Amino acid sequence: MNELTQTIQLSGVSLHAGVETQVRLFPAAAGEGRYFVRVDLPDAPQIPARIDAVVSTTLSTELGQGEARVRTVEHLLATLAALGVSDARIEINGPELPLLDGSAVQWVEAIAAWDKTQPAPVAPLAQPITVHAGDAFVAAFPASRTRFTYGIDFELPAIGNQWHSWELDSQSFATEIAPARTFALAHQIEYLRAQGLIKGGSLENALVCGSEGWINPPLRFANEPARHKLLDLVGDLSLLGTIPVAHYLAYKASHHLHVQLAQKIRESQTPD
Ligand SMILES: [Zn+2]
């Protein structure tokens, strides 16, 4: 198949930097893995989408290699992993991926036409692995199929305590997980803006929740926030290359804890 016909291009405003960036996706050779290329920088440095390249997890996952950085990689990487794309060259002309509508729907549509490669088999998880911070945790348990279960608990009544559980499957990813959008709490927005974050956030690319309820309904699912957190978890675990077969269970977690779990899984896979 002609690779050029499979080239995919998407652009939009990025969440934190608030700048317009363009992403071009190309199939890569088997074994190359998923990697970013900062085509706007001298010599177009590559940044592997691997756990050892994580440089920051503040509100989004940021990867780096040398001086080059790429941020908010999780929605695209979740999509590639869930749809079985193990190898991809992701060219980007700026420091952060476009947020699009806050979900992964447009990434799914873009990649739908690609030939998928079966991910290389990975040994299933042998032992439970957990990380926690207070009562927030992410855990992985040995299982015969890969499942993700996510719980969140917010004081805002419109969010409250909600859960979602989903078994890894490319068909249902497109309809059950990818459409779930980024969400934000109205009372944190001014603070985050003052920190130089979420400059590109808007009512078009994130659900915003206030004390009286959602500011920009309707929701796509009653538990859309829990599903979005699950999407983020899949994206962060995809930094392992192939996600080991296991049941992943997270509660009130964050990119930081997701990445910590991935690091611990990587250590468990590496004989010392
Ligand atoms: Zn997200």
Side-chain angles (χ1 to χ4, degrees), residues 59 72 74-75 99 102 180-183 228-229 231-232 255:
L59 296 182
T72 314
E74 53 270 17
H75 306 159
L99 189 60
R181 290 164 291 175
T182 302
F183 64 98
H228 185 82
K229 295 289 287 186
L231 171 70
D232 285 341
H255 290 295

